[in-house]
Structure formats: structure tokens, C-alpha cells
Amino acid sequence: MLYYLFRFLEQFDIPGSHLWSYVSFRSLLTLILSLLISAWFGEYFIKFMRRKKIYETERDPSIDPFGVEKKGVPTMGGIIIIVSMLVPVLLLGRLRNIYIILMIITTLWLGFLGFLDDYIKIFRRSKDGLKGRYKIVGQLSIGFIVGLTLWLSPDAVVRENVSVPQHNQQVVVKHNPEAVKSLQTTIPFVKNHNLNYSQVMGFLGKYKVAGGWVLFVLMTILVVTAVSNGANLNDGMDGMCAGNSAIVGVVLGILAYVSSHVGFASYFDIMYIPHSEELVVFLCAFVGAMIGFLWYNAYPAQVFMGDTGSLAIGGVIGVCAIIIHKELLLPILCGVFFVESLSVIIQTQWFKLMKRKGRRVRVFRATPIHDNFRRLDSQLDPTSTYILRGWPKRQFHESKITFRFWIVTIILAALTIITLKIR
């Protein structure tokens, strides 16, 4: 809203009003504002939740050996994150931008879905919360809405990159002058750097473009659901999910910026996506909200984000990657989320397979994988066999596990950026 106000005042030569046309100015201002809001609002939110005795459900000490210290800690801290993100974006963003609209809808949609889950856990004393099928339906629905919007909206266009050979045997990357609907996406470690979904559906003949868009929508659904669940699984230790997400948000902000700048897009041989610079504003609010939340969520946590925060965080990451056509980089960038999800799948499927054969065999001591590093042998099920029982050989404190996961994410973030030049 302030963006439109100052752009209006610019025609009257009001000093400083021209600054609001610069995405760098608005992005940094958004970052600062989101930090301040999360710090200020977080304190009042925590006091309110304690006064109302809205606490985290008591944790099972066999699962969380540090759970005793967390009794009585307020939850639903994702509300702090969502407010800290959306208020600066509403003030400083261009609200007519299709990408900003999609990001806001995704945040509210998945935040509300997570809120329902937390509400059921707290007020109805249910350990399981919202039934899994309802969660999945909610995630699939927002993925479908985002994919369909990007397919049908005339504002969601790109200028595809084209490699033009020169007389001196060098290759110059240029962009088509006309912005078009595109099914191309950036793929790492490949020379031409792009994958076209319509080519994947080439067996459909003259219907391959329509098939490509269907595949794109399905990919959007898969990405949003997978990353949202991955972030949810990663939210198990103080500061873990918020710290990892802040790092991921920084990289997505860089990718969104270079995708919105025709010069940088040419240099990195990626698609130029007009108007995607507004994503930088949103992602600065996202990073600021994550860092500000760590003020209260770092060990020992004064508040937990709950599903209200984790589901929204994963959705924001997934949708942003889809918009800038970088979804195939997510297995690298969100490698920690991916491994967390994979560990749960391996653990549950292997246990079910062995149970049919009359045996109780598990792969890890506990899942998601971060729990494997804080579980002692004395806390394991004596009726089960563990394939990786001896790994690790000792228990780690959750603060050390959190910091090490952050370091891994930083390495993966650097590798993600490097992939733009390695091909």
C-alpha cells in the first residue's frame, strides 16, 4: 500500500518518493520491518499464550529426551512468522503482481491448515491433530490452484534464453524479445540448462503442449506437498526449521533477483522472468521473519512454531521455486528437508515390510533423521531390531544437531548457486 502511495506522490516531486521504485530499497526495508515486527509482536504473543495457558502438548521422553525442559512452552508461533511476513509485504509490495498474490494466498492457506492441526492438538488433546488425509487434500489443493494459475494467467510469462553462436566461436546468451507462456525449467548440471515439460510429453504428438501443462501442474502439486511436509518434519528441534528456512530463503531471493534482471539472466544462461523482482520483496520478509522468530525459538525455545508455521514455510519455498522455474534445484537446496522425508519413508515402509514376515525391524533409531542423533540405546524398543543401531555411537544435544544441520544447509545453498555455472 505504501508503494502505491509514494509512487503517486512521486509525480509531485516529493523528496525521497522515487526510492520506492527501487526493488532493492523496498526489499531491505521489508527485511528490517519483518525483523522488528517479529521481535515486538513475538513478545506480546508469547505472554498472551502463557496467560491463556496455551502450551505445547507434553512430549514423550522416549522420543524427545530434552522434552522435560519444554513443558509449558507456548506453541502456534507460526502466527508470529505469518504476521511478520505479510504485514511488510502488504505495506511495501506491489499487490497487483500475480506472483505476490500467489505467495500471499499460499501462506494464508497452508498457515490456516497448520492452525487447524495445532488447534486440535491443543484444545482437543489429540496427539495426531488434523487427520492426515485432510492435510494432504489441503496441500494438494493449493498446489493445484498455483499450478493452474501459472498455466492460465496471462501475467505469468517468461522470456526464454537462447544461445547464439558468434563468429569467434563464442556463444552469447540472448532472450527472446517477446514474453511467452513457457514450460521450460532450469535443470542443474546440464549444458543447455533447460528442460521443457512438453518435450517430456512428446509421445502425445500434437497434444504434447497440453500434456506438458498437465505435467507442470502435477509437478507443482508434488513440489508444494513435498516441501511443505519436509519442512513440517524438520520442525522438531529448537531453531532447526527456522534456521534452515532462512538460509533457503536467501538463496531463493538471489535466484529470484537474477531471474528478474535481464543482464544477470543472460550471464547465468537462465530464463528472464518479468516482474519476478517482487518475489525478492516477499522473500526478504520471509527471511526477516525467520531470523526474528529465532530470537524466541533458538535453544532454549520460548515458543514453538507448530504446524501453523512449518506448513506455511514449506509452501512458500515450493511455490517460489515453481514461479522462478527452479523447482528441479530443490532436491539440492532443500536437501535437509528431502532427507528428513526420505528417512521417514524408509523407516515406515521397511518396518511394514518386515512386519508382514513376522519380524520387527527398523532401519534408524528414530525418524525424522534428526531424532536419530539424540536417541540413546536405552530408549530403543527392546522388541525391535535396528539395522543402524550403532550409528551414531553417542547422543548429541539438540543445539549441536541444529547447528550442524544449518551448516549442511549452507553447503547445499552454496552448491545450488554454483549449479548455475556448472553444466
Side-chain angles (χ1 to χ4, degrees), residues 17-18 20 35 53 70 74 92 95 126-127 132 136 151 181 203 207 239 241 296 377 380 383 411:
S17 58
H18 68 284
W20 295 81
L35 278 166
K53 297 183 179 180
K70 301 176 183 179
L92 305 172
L95 302 182
S126 171
K127 290 184 178 180
I136 292 296
W151 177 3
K181 306 292 292 184
F203 61 90
Y207 301 107
C241 185
Y296 301 104
D377 284 346
L380 302 181
T383 65
I411 294 171

Side-chain angles (χ1 to χ4, degrees), residues 121-398:
K121 286 178 182 176
I122 295 170
F123 294 99
R124 298 193 179 179
R125 303 296 177 185
S126 171
K127 290 184 178 180
D128 298 327
L130 187 66
K131 290 184 179 180
R133 62 175 177 269
Y134 296 132
K135 275 188 184 179
I136 292 296
V137 169
Q139 292 167 327
L140 294 178
S141 299
I142 189 61
F144 177 75
I145 291 170
V146 171
L148 197 64
T149 301
L150 293 175
W151 177 3
L152 301 177
S153 173
D155 296 325
V157 293
V158 305
R159 285 171 54 186
E160 296 177 341
N161 49 317
V162 180
S163 298
V164 181
Q166 302 294 303
H167 295 297
N168 55 4
Q169 297 184 342
Q170 291 184 343
V171 176
V172 175
V173 177
K174 296 185 179 181
H175 290 87
N176 289 327
E178 183 181 357
V180 296
K181 306 292 292 184
S182 177
L183 282 168
Q184 289 193 18
T185 187
T186 300
I187 186 170
F189 309 117
V190 174
K191 184 176 181 180
N192 293 327
H193 227 39
N194 288 336
L195 172 71
N196 196 312
Y197 287 121
S198 64
Q199 293 177 352
V200 176
M201 305 299 286
F203 61 90
L204 294 177
K206 64 179 181 180
Y207 301 107
K208 68 177 183 180
V209 174
W213 280 112
V214 172
L215 179 60
F216 170 79
V217 174
L218 292 176
M219 178 63 74
T220 302
I221 293 171
L222 174 63
V223 168
V224 173
T225 304
V227 181
S228 182
N229 283 322
N232 185 235
L233 291 171
N234 188 236
D235 178 33
M237 295 184 179
D238 297 349
M240 173 78 83
C241 185
N244 286 325
S245 299
I247 297 165
V248 171
V250 170
V251 175
L252 286 175
I254 294 171
L255 294 176
Y257 184 74
V258 299
S259 297
S260 67
H261 190 287
V262 67
F264 289 136
S266 296
Y267 177 75
F268 287 109
D269 192 5
I270 59 176
M271 286 166 283
Y272 168 52
I273 307 173
H275 311 304
S276 63
E277 66 275 3
E278 288 304 308
L279 289 176
V280 182
V281 176
F282 190 95
L283 288 167
C284 279
F286 177 81
V287 172
M290 293 298 105
I291 297 174
F293 186 70
L294 282 173
W295 186 274
Y296 301 104
N297 186 240
Y299 184 87
Q302 297 170 259
V303 65
F304 301 131
M305 70 169 61
D307 283 16
T308 307
S310 60
L311 291 181
I313 287 170
V316 165
I317 292 171
V319 171
C320 180
I322 287 285
I323 289 173
I324 61 176
H325 298 254
K326 301 293 182 292
E327 65 272 16
L328 297 183
L329 296 179
L330 285 180
I332 302 173
L333 178 58
C334 297
V336 168
F337 294 170
F338 178 73
V339 171
E340 295 271 40
S341 300
L342 189 62
S343 67
V344 172
I345 294 171
I346 292 173
Q347 184 86 321
T348 55
Q349 295 306 313
W350 186 261
F351 184 77
K352 289 178 181 179
L353 178 63
M354 291 294 103
K355 194 173 182 180
R356 295 195 202 102
K357 299 180 179 180
R359 300 171 58 194
R360 295 175 59 87
V361 182
R362 306 176 193 270
V363 178
F364 305 101
R365 290 177 176 178
T367 54
I369 193 66
H370 62 256
D371 281 332
N372 186 69
F373 297 101
R374 64 178 174 184
R375 183 72 68 90
L376 291 171
D377 284 346
S378 59
Q379 298 169 326
L380 302 181
D381 179 7
T383 65
S384 297
T385 302
Y386 295 84
I387 296 176
L388 297 178
R389 187 185 184 105
W391 178 74
K393 294 183 178 180
R394 65 185 181 89
Q395 182 189 46
F396 292 93
H397 193 277
E398 71 170 70

Side-chain angles (χ1 to χ4, degrees), residues 10 34 51 58 71 85 97 106 164 168 186 216 225 251 360 381 388 401 408:
E10 188 176 352
S34 62
R51 192 163 57 246
E58 189 172 348
K71 187 177 180 180
M85 274 197 294
N97 184 285
T106 299
V164 181
N168 55 4
T186 300
F216 170 79
T225 304
V251 175
R360 295 175 59 87
D381 179 7
L388 297 178
I401 299 170
V408 171

